Each structure stands twice: as C-alpha cells, then as structure tokens.
Amino acid sequence: MPRWMRTLFAVLLLARLLPGWALAVGDPAAAAPAFAGDAAPLADASGPALHDDDDGGDDGGDDGGDRGGGHDDGSDDGHEGGSGSDDGHEDDGHETYDRQYSFYGQVRWSGERTIVGSRELVGDDPWLPYLAPGMRLEVKGEVQGGRIRVSRIEIKYPTVWAYYLGPAQVIGLEGGWIRAWLSGSAGRDLFKLLPAAGETTPLLVACYERGSWRSVPLGLRPDARPPEDGWWRLTGSLSGSGVAWTLAGRLPGDCN
C-alpha cells in the first residue's frame, strides 16, 4: 500500500476514535458548547428579558400580586375587617395607636366620666352626656392608654329609649331631680334611674318619627314639632307640674 494511503487511513482511524479533537481542529466554532445563560438573560415566551434582582435578602415585596405579601413592618393597614392599625409604639409606658378601631362594649359608669369595659371615653361626641350604665355601644375611636378618644358612638341597646333630666314628680316618681332613661314605645318602663344633684334646667333627648315622640310618656311629651324625623335635644322650663319644651338641636342618627 502506498505511503500516502497508509497516512490517510491512520488519520481517518484517529478521527473516529477522537471526534471532539477532530472538530476542534477542523471547526473551532462548532466545538464550543452552547449555553444561552452565558450569553444573555433568559427570555420568556413573549420575549422580554427576565432579570433576577435578588441580592441575597428577602425584601418581602409583592408588586400587587395575588399573595398580597407586601413589606411587613409589624403594622396593619386597616383593610382587615376595618380594624385599623397598631403602630407598635409606646409613649412613657402607654400604648399609642395611630389609626382608629371599632370597639363593642357595655357602659359601666356614666356621669362626669363614662367607662366602657376598662377604658374611659373622652372627646366631644354629642352622645357622650346621654349614655347610661348598661347600654351597649359600638364606639369608633383611637386608643390612648386607658382611654378611647371617640369619633363616633352608636347605641346598640336599648333600641327604643328616651332620656329625661328634671324633677322626679313630672314622671310620677318621688324625690328631687333625676336622670331617667325611659324605654318602650310609650316610655312606661325605666331602663335606668340616677340622681341629678344641682341641676336647674330640664332636658329631654328623644327620637321623633312619623309625627310622634318615641319612648316619651304622655305627661312629658313635647308640643314642639321638629322639621324632620330623627333624634332631638330639647330644653324645658317648669310650668306648674309639667315642663314646656323647646327644640335645642339635632343629634346624629335616625330612630332605627
């Protein structure tokens, strides 16, 4: 066999035994393994590059995704059940809150101070002076230590009532001046009765609906007719054994 044929045979045999070497010698580009990640960021089906911005920490963020994770700094943004937020701060040993909550509780004491549960209600809500022990309330407000600064009060129980401040004999009772919470549609029942020392001007709080005063006894019923249905405050002047009433202002809420 001629020398050149033996040389060609040896080259072909060596190529079969070492194919990677032959590719590297014959075509350098073909020998390079192709890894897309070495060249560019991965792309999704629509084409834009997907970048990973994870720097090794978990920032807890969720850009509006279904999980709603967001950044958790220990606060409640107020969207769960309308509960408001606890900012977790303390001021000289007193808890402070920067958003409002709704509280449900029973009045334990009323007068110069009104206590619901274990907290005192403070503020200028127009219903505060007319709350009676035993009433059940929904209070919206801000907790400040042992107090709730009230923004709104809704009386849940009793549902039908009126408040009277004045001489006891006007409603058929004995004694001096009283604070009486009358209940029932005609005001024949007493929800609560407390003494009222030092008062000189009768006061009535009642709801006017469909041409009549709810929970007000006949002997106490005002002649005044308000311009609209709802809760009203009336001031009185003593006239014989009765009281002449004058409208003094509207209170929030309706009769339901």
Side-chain angles (χ1 to χ4, degrees):
M1 179 182 297
R3 182 186 296 267
W4 65 270
M5 292 185 66
R6 288 198 299 268
T7 302
L8 179 60
F9 180 79
V11 170
L12 292 175
L13 179 60
L14 185 60
R16 290 175 62 84
L17 294 175
L18 300 172
W21 176 84
L23 288 172
V25 172
D27 187 358
F35 295 108
D38 293 342
L42 296 178
D44 65 9
S46 61
L50 303 179
H51 299 279
D52 183 2
D53 61 356
D54 189 354
D55 58 0
D58 183 7
D59 62 3
D62 181 359
D63 296 336
D66 292 338
R67 290 169 299 183
H71 181 67
D72 186 6
D73 60 358
S75 66
D76 179 356
D77 63 3
H79 295 298
E80 282 190 14
S83 61
S85 172
D86 176 359
D87 65 3
H89 297 295
E90 294 188 358
D91 181 12
D92 297 331
H94 297 290
E95 296 176 350
T96 58
Y97 296 78
D98 62 357
R99 297 187 189 176
Q100 294 194 342
Y101 283 77
S102 286
F103 301 87
Y104 296 84
Q106 188 170 36
V107 179
R108 293 174 50 212
W109 179 265
S110 68
E112 293 183 1
R113 301 176 66 210
T114 300
I115 309 297
V116 174
S118 61
R119 288 187 166 97
E120 179 184 2
L121 303 186
V122 296
D124 56 1
D125 187 276
W127 284 111
L128 269 176
Y130 312 121
L131 301 180
M135 282 183 167
R136 292 198 288 269
L137 315 176
E138 177 184 354
V139 179
K140 190 173 181 64
E142 178 184 341
V143 173
Q144 298 177 342
R147 295 179 170 184
I148 300 174
R149 182 157 297 279
V150 174
S151 63
R152 189 187 70 205
I153 292 174
E154 187 173 336
I155 300 170
K156 297 295 186 180
Y157 175 81
T159 55
V160 181
W161 62 281
Y163 169 79
Y164 166 70
L165 166 67
Q169 67 267 20
V170 173
I171 59 173
L173 300 176
E174 295 181 357
W177 280 55
I178 58 170
R179 301 174 70 207
W181 286 263
L182 309 166
S183 62
S185 59
R188 295 189 179 97
D189 302 320
L190 274 174
F191 176 75
K192 195 71 179 178
L193 182 66
L194 296 173
E199 301 290 347
T200 58
T201 303
L203 180 68
L204 181 67
V205 172
C207 206
Y208 184 79
E209 185 179 42
R210 299 176 183 177
S212 64
W213 292 96
R214 295 177 58 179
S215 303
V216 179
L218 184 61
L220 193 63
R221 198 162 296 171
D223 292 329
R225 292 292 180 265
E228 61 179 353
D229 288 359
W231 284 93
W232 290 86
R233 183 170 60 89
L234 302 94
T235 55
S237 57
L238 296 176
S239 175
S241 59
V243 181
W245 296 105
T246 303
L247 291 173
R250 179 83 155 80
L251 289 168
D254 53 31
C255 297
N256 298 323

